[in-house]
Amino acid sequence: MILNYQYRCYPETPQKSQLNNWLRVCQYWYNVQIGDRFRWWEQNRSNYVIPNGDFCYISCSLPPLELRDKPNFYSQKKLLPEKKKDLTIVRHSGELLDFSIVPSQTLQDVSKRVNLAFTRFIKGDTNGSRSGKPRFKNRYRTLRIEAQAIKIKRVEKNWLYLQISKLSGWLKVRLHRSLPQGFSLKNILITRKADGWYCTLCLEDPSVPHFTPDIIIPTWDNSMGIDAVLYEDNYLATSEGDKLPSVKSYRKNQKQLAKISQRKNAKKKGSKARRKLAKKEGRQHQRIARARKDHAYKTAHALVRSDKKVFFVEDLNLKGLRKQNKTKKDHKGNYLPNGQSAKSGLNKSWSDASFGQFFDIFSYIAEKAGAVVKKVNPAYTSQLLSYRDEFVFTDCSIRSYYDAIEGIVVDRDVNSSINLKRVGLELFPTINRRSGKITKSKTDSTTKEVLAVLKGILEANALSSDERG
């Protein structure tokens, strides 16, 4: 299994200068390739569409030079030997860059990144999701170095010494946790962050077997439903009746971050004071991101320790949830209230929760533990009662429901997590989207199990209140 271990590294002053020069060359090489692709794209595409829907390929404006083939990864990579023969002059600044000081695999990786970014912009990824237009980089932070350019010179108790091609001396890496036994090094990533340099080791660990999720058959006992709550201090709710807290790292540091930003913006651009405050602002953003990531890992480990093998989570449209409301205008063209000021706070909360990052980390942790995370459609799961075909939670303000027949209090979020589990097990009713009526129901097959969970939650809450009293 391929594993990534990130450590803090401590390059010496000459090594820092070399790595910064490498980053500058890679930044320039990335922007050159992106610009070349955009020039070809603008000169060879046609914006005219004839009535039958076909494109007219002869109506595009021809470039002043000869027509050339579409640039791709291989054609741009072939330009590197010429670039290494002599110094390259940056047109806008007159800076001289030497491509020969950077390892060849690192420059080829830059071409791969350009190819991937432009392909996703044109065609989309494997799921058909297209990304935004690639941007020119004003900061390049990560260098990828393949294993053939690296030698492990010495491994001590807490330190690792690496010899990297074209880098003077040995790179000193602090091992805050031990490396797996019998690993093989694939590549490393050297990243410059706000507080220093970091080295990510990509290792192949033979002791961790390759996991195939298809061999796990989900059942009621070995599965768990997880609902994204985002209400007050709750982060997740499980079908076992547990609620996990949120961290809200951005909300807690929002005022302090705003003060630093205001002080920085008041300083003159290019001044030493502004650079100092910009570094302080970057460190504050880094603390917020680290707190959020640490919370995601701890929450994922807490869920995996439940010994469940299948976890059903919501397939959320996170991009749509953070989307701004459409503008409204009257007949005179004046803007009308569209509720965006109220929704902006919700958008900020969705971004602060970072459920997309959590689900990725959760899938990684679960795979290492031999479990699987599956995304299911959350339609109607937060409205329908989990043990009876009845729409109860029709409004978001309804957080709980008292059932006089069963004598239990049903929490909205726990009920939704149970319904997600039923969706994953294909036991959720079929609901007509137009009429909202239930056409096929399998609720009776799980009523006993669901009531047992809800009554167990009620008994556990009563016991805990007695202990506190």
Side-chain angles (χ1 to χ4, degrees):
M1 183 179 182
I2 303 296
L3 303 175
N4 291 325
Y5 288 74
Q6 188 174 86
Y7 300 100
R8 183 79 178 265
C9 62
Y10 296 88
E12 299 176 354
T13 303
Q15 292 176 334
K16 289 181 182 179
S17 178
Q18 282 185 275
L19 292 174
N20 284 321
N21 289 335
W22 290 8
L23 290 173
R24 178 67 184 98
V25 172
C26 290
Q27 174 196 346
Y28 174 79
W29 179 229
Y30 184 93
N31 292 338
V32 165
Q33 295 177 94
I34 284 288
D36 183 48
R37 295 211 177 202
F38 279 137
R39 281 192 298 271
W40 184 92
W41 176 257
E42 292 297 332
Q43 292 172 356
N44 292 272
R45 69 171 181 170
S46 171
N47 294 323
Y48 177 76
V49 183
I50 54 181
N52 62 0
D54 297 329
F55 284 92
C56 181
Y57 294 100
I58 63 173
S59 63
C60 61
S61 59
L62 297 178
L65 302 178
E66 294 182 0
L67 291 175
R68 60 191 182 95
D69 295 333
K70 179 180 178 181
N72 53 32
F73 167 68
Y74 299 100
S75 64
Q76 292 185 328
K77 188 180 70 170
K78 288 180 180 179
L79 301 175
L80 285 173
E82 287 294 326
K83 291 282 186 181
K84 293 180 181 180
K85 290 181 180 180
D86 198 2
L87 298 178
T88 302
I89 302 177
V90 182
R91 192 187 320 174
H92 64 277
S93 63
E95 183 182 2
L96 296 176
L97 299 179
D98 187 3
F99 276 67
S100 62
I101 65 174
V102 187
S104 59
Q105 297 91 349
T106 304
L107 293 173
Q108 292 174 16
D109 178 67
V110 176
S111 300
K112 288 182 181 179
R113 295 188 192 185
V114 172
N115 185 65
L116 180 61
F118 208 81
T119 302
R120 286 180 175 176
F121 168 59
I122 301 300
K123 297 182 179 179
D125 57 9
T126 55
N127 297 324
S129 301
R130 294 181 61 181
S131 60
K133 184 178 180 180
R135 299 180 181 180
F136 293 98
K137 290 186 179 294
N138 58 0
R139 186 181 298 111
Y140 203 89
R141 297 192 304 173
T142 302
L143 300 167
R144 180 189 177 100
I145 303 173
E146 298 297 332
Q148 55 264 36
I150 306 168
K151 290 183 180 178
I152 300 177
K153 303 302 291 186
R154 194 166 71 213
V155 180
E156 296 181 355
K157 182 179 180 182
N158 296 322
W159 296 96
L160 174 68
Y161 295 90
L162 300 175
Q163 184 179 8
I164 301 175
S165 175
K166 299 187 179 181
L167 183 67
S168 61
W170 293 355
L171 183 64
K172 192 177 180 181
V173 180
R174 178 74 165 85
L175 298 180
H176 66 274
R177 59 172 174 169
S178 59
L179 292 169
Q181 296 293 331
F183 71 89
S184 59
L185 183 64
K186 294 296 183 181
N187 57 71
I188 67 171
L189 300 176
I190 300 178
T191 306
R192 184 179 62 186
K193 296 187 179 182
D195 62 337
W197 295 84
Y198 287 82
C199 180
T200 304
L201 306 180
C202 182
L203 311 174
E204 184 175 6
D205 189 0
S207 62
V208 181
H210 180 68
F211 178 68
T212 53
D214 297 335
I215 63 175
I216 299 179
I217 301 175
T219 62
W220 185 268
D221 295 328
N222 72 351
S223 61
M224 177 189 291
I226 301 174
D227 177 56
V229 179
L230 199 65
Y231 179 74
E232 293 183 350
D233 292 332
N234 296 324
Y235 188 66
L236 297 173
T238 69
S239 58
E240 305 297 316
D242 300 323
K243 285 193 174 182
L244 303 178
S246 60
V247 62
K248 296 183 179 180
S249 57
Y250 179 77
R251 290 287 190 181
K252 293 177 181 178
N253 296 275
Q254 187 175 1
K255 291 183 179 179
Q256 185 177 2
L257 184 62
K259 289 180 181 179
I260 299 173
S261 300
Q262 289 175 1
R263 289 175 57 195
K264 185 198 74 171
N265 295 332
K267 302 297 181 181
K268 183 179 179 181
K269 290 185 178 181
S271 63
K272 184 177 179 181
R274 186 181 176 94
R275 289 197 300 269
K276 187 176 180 180
L277 288 171
K279 187 175 182 181
K280 189 175 181 180
E281 184 183 19
R283 291 283 289 114
Q284 190 66 26
H285 277 292
Q286 189 180 46
R287 293 189 191 99
I288 294 171
R290 284 178 173 175
R292 186 183 295 123
K293 192 173 183 179
D294 178 71
H295 173 262
Y297 271 97
K298 289 180 178 178
T299 305
H301 280 291
L303 292 170
V304 169
R305 280 194 289 268
S306 63
D307 294 333
K308 300 294 184 180
K309 295 300 181 183
V310 183
F311 298 92
F312 298 110
V313 299
E314 296 179 270
D315 188 9
L316 297 173
N317 181 14
L318 297 173
K319 186 177 179 180
L321 291 171
R322 296 192 297 265
K323 192 176 182 180
Q324 292 186 353
N325 294 341
K326 291 184 177 180
T327 58
K328 296 181 179 179
K329 295 182 180 180
D330 57 10
H331 63 282
K332 295 182 180 180
N334 299 323
Y335 287 97
L336 299 174
N338 62 343
Q340 179 56 39
S341 58
K343 190 175 183 297
S344 60
L346 181 61
N347 294 350
K348 190 179 295 183
S349 297
W350 277 111
S351 300
D352 193 15
S354 187
F355 282 111
Q357 181 190 44
F358 168 73
F359 290 149
D360 291 340
I361 293 174
F362 187 28
S363 300
Y364 170 71
I365 298 298
E367 184 178 348
K368 288 178 65 177
V372 62
V373 177
K374 295 184 178 181
K375 293 184 178 181
V376 296
N377 186 9
Y380 300 103
T381 55
S382 61
Q383 302 177 21
L384 192 68
L385 206 59
S386 55
Y387 57 90
R388 189 188 305 147
D389 293 337
E390 182 180 351
F391 290 95
V392 173
F393 303 99
T394 55
D395 195 329
C396 292
S397 61
I398 304 175
R399 308 307 304 178
S400 61
Y401 168 73
Y402 175 71
D403 190 351
I405 300 175
E406 300 293 340
I408 57 175
V409 178
V410 183
D411 184 83
R412 177 191 182 95
D413 303 319
V414 174
N415 177 79
S416 179
S417 62
I418 295 175
N419 279 333
L420 289 171
K421 181 177 178 177
R422 296 172 61 205
V423 173
L425 297 174
E426 299 181 356
L427 299 174
F428 194 72
T430 302
I431 302 174
N432 189 294
R433 292 188 63 181
R434 287 182 174 270
S435 62
K437 295 182 180 179
I438 298 174
T439 56
K440 295 180 182 179
S441 176
K442 297 182 181 179
T443 303
D444 294 338
S445 61
T446 59
T447 301
K448 183 178 179 181
E449 290 83 356
V450 173
L451 288 175
V453 172
L454 296 176
K455 291 180 180 178
I457 297 170
L458 188 63
E459 294 174 359
N461 293 336
L463 183 60
S464 61
S465 61
D466 292 340
E467 291 177 353
R468 288 194 300 267

